[in-house]
Amino acid sequence: MFNVNYNPDVLTCLANLSNDEVFTPPDVANKMLDQLPKELWIDKNTTFLDPCTKSGIFLREITKRLLVGLEDEIPVLQERINHILTKQVFGIGITELTALLTRRSLYCSKNANQEFSITDAFNNNDGNILYKNIEHKWKNLKCEYCGASKDLFNRQDFLEQHAYNFIHTENPKELFNMKFDVIIGNPPYQMSDGGGRDSSAVPLYQKFVENAIKLNPANLSMIIPARWYTGGKGLDSFRKKMINDRRLKELHDFQETSDIFPGLNIRAGVCYFLWQKNYDGDCKVVNYFKNEKNTMKRRLSVDGFDMLIRNNESINILNKVLSKSSKFYGDIVYPRNVFGFDGDSPANKKIFPELPKTKKNNTDVFLYRFGNNGFIPKSFVKKNRSLKNGIKVIVSKASPGGDTYPHKIISEPLIAYDNEVFSETYLLINRCENEKSAKNLIKYMRTYFFRFMMSLVKNTQNISRSSFIFVPTIDLSIDWDDQKLFKYYNISEHEQNYIKTQIKEM
């Protein structure tokens, strides 16, 4: 039966246009605000900035809290509203449309000084919600500030440029010449560079975090993709700074995006954090997974490794492995494209849709590639020709399946024999002395243990040699299985069960 008293929050009904610029649900915004010190809400001098506002949800919810907290100090409602909206809450729209939407959410009018605005203290249309249509700064066909491709974003004025005000400046202090007690928001996640989805796009969110830290607020909280945990694509220096920053007080981690953004699937999940200028200590890490929550206060960095371990449950397992092993496959796996195949080689199916299944010359070598395999002239092998000899274990660099847990982590490994090579579709895991060692390595790779140790650092579809930095080397003359490995590394029954919640049987 229809409930005539039902009055939904319109900001819960906004549909996300993409995975790049995601609207924040009101309940998520409030959970992030709940992290902040309670005294902020009863102080008429505190200031708040959302540098990447889209719907205005953060500023609206901040205003609601201040309206309650300042009731005793500023008892007249209109005076309280005017004070909060003119002196305490500020925002920067990411587009002209989101600036208008934010003003509508905050002032109840698209213009701050219009008849229906809830404040009568502004003499301009914008109020404290800034937006300026600016251009990218091109250098070598890329924007110096955000890395956008000139081919894609140097376009007509009436089209959105996505030149975000907060990160297209050397000095973000110029935007608002003031100090902020709180900077909070949900920045744009990435910018297309002309390639495919996620793996090709240039990340943007870390630039918002870095510019926010430049402003030296007392508190900083943002919700961002979790891909920064393992670095890559311009994120390595950001990861290093974040995991070694003792001012990072809380990290709330969501492996499955739908747990926080219903209906969205952002590869590797998302997180939000609390950074405090005057905090110096371990970080409270909260993992959310399938309606369960695990909390641990710990250092984010791992001794000897520039890497963040995502799950609290994994820390003890990793420590057990590190205590018994000193050599890891991260030092053994070869870099991508071992044989140097270029775009005009038989590795390109568009140019060579079919490969012969038999040799045309005695010197021909067999090529594994994405799709149908076959023989090619040895001359196409540009480098490391000696590696075509001997027994090699290879695996696809693209992991199978989607983003739901548990994962398989890797595809089925293969043995490449004498005179067999492979395109950059595959990674060379190791060269083996004989076929028995190769088969034992493949059996090891198929274990829950091996793939779990990979999962500690792998949270994107593609794998690389860095995905193996915590996978210990073993004696390949031994036929290993999970029970032997669990016993050797003293993995408890509880830890074994946890591993199997993360890793899918092959």
Side-chain angles (χ1 to χ4, degrees):
M1 184 176 179
F2 181 68
N3 183 355
V4 293
N5 294 318
Y6 178 57
N7 186 22
D9 185 342
V10 67
L11 298 190
T12 66
C13 305
L14 291 174
N16 293 301
L17 299 179
S18 72
N19 284 7
D20 302 346
E21 296 171 358
V22 177
F23 288 110
T24 310
D27 64 318
V28 175
N30 277 295
K31 286 176 182 175
M32 294 172 67
L33 292 172
D34 286 343
Q35 303 173 100
L36 299 174
K38 300 294 187 290
E39 57 267 24
L40 291 171
W41 313 117
I42 57 173
D43 185 347
K44 69 177 184 178
N45 297 312
T46 53
T47 51
F48 301 80
L49 170 68
D50 181 347
C52 41
T53 183
K54 294 186 281 292
S55 68
I57 185 60
F58 288 105
L59 300 179
R60 190 194 73 176
E61 297 304 304
I62 288 168
T63 299
K64 287 165 64 176
R65 293 179 183 225
L66 289 171
L67 280 170
V68 174
L70 297 178
E71 189 171 6
D72 291 340
E73 189 166 3
I74 311 176
V76 178
L77 178 60
Q78 189 59 57
E79 291 180 9
R80 194 159 71 249
I81 291 173
N82 287 349
H83 175 84
I84 293 168
L85 296 183
T86 59
K87 304 294 185 183
Q88 294 190 268
V89 292
F90 301 81
I92 303 172
I94 62 170
T95 65
E96 183 177 9
L97 178 61
T98 65
L100 290 169
L101 181 56
T102 297
R103 292 185 197 113
R104 180 65 181 82
S105 297
L106 192 59
Y107 307 136
C108 299
S109 169
K110 70 175 184 178
N111 293 321
N113 61 347
Q114 275 188 336
E115 176 186 357
F116 297 107
S117 173
I118 61 171
T119 176
D120 54 12
F122 285 115
N123 58 9
N124 63 79
N125 288 339
D126 294 347
N128 283 337
I129 309 302
L130 301 188
Y131 173 74
K132 184 179 180 181
N133 188 19
I134 60 176
E135 296 182 352
H136 295 280
K137 185 177 181 181
W138 306 116
K139 183 177 181 180
N140 299 325
L141 303 180
K142 296 286 185 182
C143 176
E144 284 188 339
Y145 290 114
C146 71
S149 168
K150 187 175 183 180
D151 291 340
L152 290 176
F153 293 99
N154 186 27
R155 50 196 186 181
Q156 294 168 295
D157 290 340
F158 65 86
L159 294 174
E160 178 57 53
Q161 307 294 318
H162 297 287
Y164 304 115
N165 292 189
F166 191 64
I167 61 172
H168 284 74
T169 174
E170 295 289 346
N171 183 12
K173 292 180 180 179
E174 295 173 347
L175 298 169
F176 286 105
N177 187 23
M178 59 186 298
K179 293 282 290 182
F180 290 99
D181 295 287
V182 177
I183 298 179
I184 190 167
N186 180 7
Y189 295 160
Q190 60 190 27
M191 178 82 76
S192 173
D193 64 2
R197 286 298 303 265
D198 297 341
S199 62
S200 165
V202 176
L204 288 179
Y205 54 90
Q206 80 282 7
K207 298 178 185 295
F208 283 85
V209 176
E210 289 168 341
N211 269 16
I213 291 175
K214 285 181 183 179
L215 291 178
N216 198 29
N219 304 272
L220 167 63
S221 183
M222 286 192 176
I223 184 165
I224 58 178
R227 288 192 292 270
W228 68 269
Y229 295 170
T230 53
K233 199 70 174 181
L235 293 169
D236 288 340
S237 62
F238 176 71
R239 175 190 63 197
K240 185 174 182 178
K241 285 186 285 188
M242 288 289 278
I243 66 176
N244 290 295
D245 193 335
R246 302 278 289 173
R247 296 169 293 182
L248 199 62
K249 186 176 183 180
E250 295 185 21
L251 178 65
H252 295 257
D253 170 73
F254 299 82
Q255 287 180 244
E256 294 188 340
T257 315
S258 59
D259 286 343
I260 190 167
F261 294 137
L264 277 187
N265 181 17
I266 298 171
R267 185 171 287 275
V270 296
C271 67
Y272 63 83
F273 64 86
L274 174 64
W275 177 100
Q276 290 187 326
K277 177 174 66 175
N278 294 325
Y279 181 73
D280 182 5
D282 289 346
C283 182
K284 183 176 85 170
V285 179
V286 187
N287 300 133
Y288 300 84
F289 182 66
K290 296 188 183 300
N291 298 318
E292 294 185 3
K293 186 166 74 170
N294 183 292
T295 302
M296 178 186 288
K297 200 165 187 179
R298 59 182 172 93
R299 289 180 56 194
L300 291 182
S301 59
V302 179
D303 287 340
F305 297 91
D306 179 23
M307 196 62 65
L308 167 64
I309 302 303
R310 178 175 205 161
N311 294 311
N312 296 327
E313 289 265 19
S314 304
I315 298 297
N316 195 44
I317 299 172
L318 175 61
N319 288 336
K320 289 179 178 180
V321 172
L322 294 178
S323 70
K324 298 203 71 169
S325 298
S326 58
K327 295 183 179 179
F328 300 88
Y329 272 95
D331 298 320
I332 293 176
V333 173
Y334 286 72
R336 61 190 291 270
N337 202 9
V338 168
F339 295 106
F341 289 111
D342 55 34
D344 295 328
S345 76
N348 190 333
K349 282 187 66 180
K350 292 181 179 179
I351 299 176
F352 294 86
E354 296 290 334
L355 295 179
K357 302 302 180 186
T358 57
K359 289 184 177 183
K360 292 185 178 180
N361 298 292
N362 288 335
T363 57
D364 287 352
V365 296
F366 190 80
L367 172 68
Y368 291 95
R369 65 176 186 173
F370 179 74
N372 68 312
N373 308 315
F375 285 93
I376 61 169
K378 184 177 68 173
S379 59
F380 278 113
V381 180
K382 300 296 184 182
K383 62 181 184 180
N384 294 319
R385 287 186 177 177
S386 62
L387 290 179
K388 71 181 179 62
N389 301 317
I391 296 175
K392 305 163 285 285
V393 172
I394 63 176
V395 71
S396 171
K397 71 178 181 69
S399 58
D403 291 319
T404 57
Y405 289 83
H407 284 329
K408 280 189 175 180
I409 304 297
I410 58 172
S411 299
E412 286 286 349
L414 302 172
I415 295 179
Y417 292 90
D418 263 336
N419 279 325
E420 293 185 346
V421 297
F422 42 89
S423 70
E424 64 176 334
T425 296
Y426 292 92
L427 281 180
L428 173 54
I429 304 303
N430 200 6
R431 300 178 76 187
C432 297
E433 295 180 359
N434 50 53
E435 188 175 28
K436 179 184 177 183
S437 294
K439 289 181 176 179
N440 282 343
L441 175 54
I442 287 178
K443 189 171 182 181
Y444 178 38
M445 292 175 67
R446 298 181 86 254
T447 62
Y448 285 105
F449 175 83
F450 184 101
R451 293 177 292 127
F452 175 77
M453 299 310 295
M454 284 185 65
S455 76
L456 298 184
V457 295
K458 176 191 175 297
N459 60 15
T460 61
Q461 183 180 16
N462 287 333
I463 61 176
S464 64
R465 67 186 309 183
S466 65
S467 305
F468 300 85
I469 63 171
F470 291 134
V471 180
T473 59
I474 57 170
D475 183 353
L476 293 179
S477 67
I478 298 175
D479 182 11
W480 292 92
D481 60 24
D482 274 307
Q483 290 310 309
K484 293 177 183 176
L485 291 162
F486 290 152
K487 183 177 180 180
Y488 180 75
Y489 287 105
N490 194 29
I491 308 298
S492 70
E493 184 175 352
H494 171 78
E495 291 166 341
Q496 294 175 37
N497 291 333
Y498 167 70
I499 288 173
K500 291 177 182 179
T501 67
Q502 301 293 303
I503 307 300
K504 192 173 184 177
E505 184 179 11
M506 289 189 72

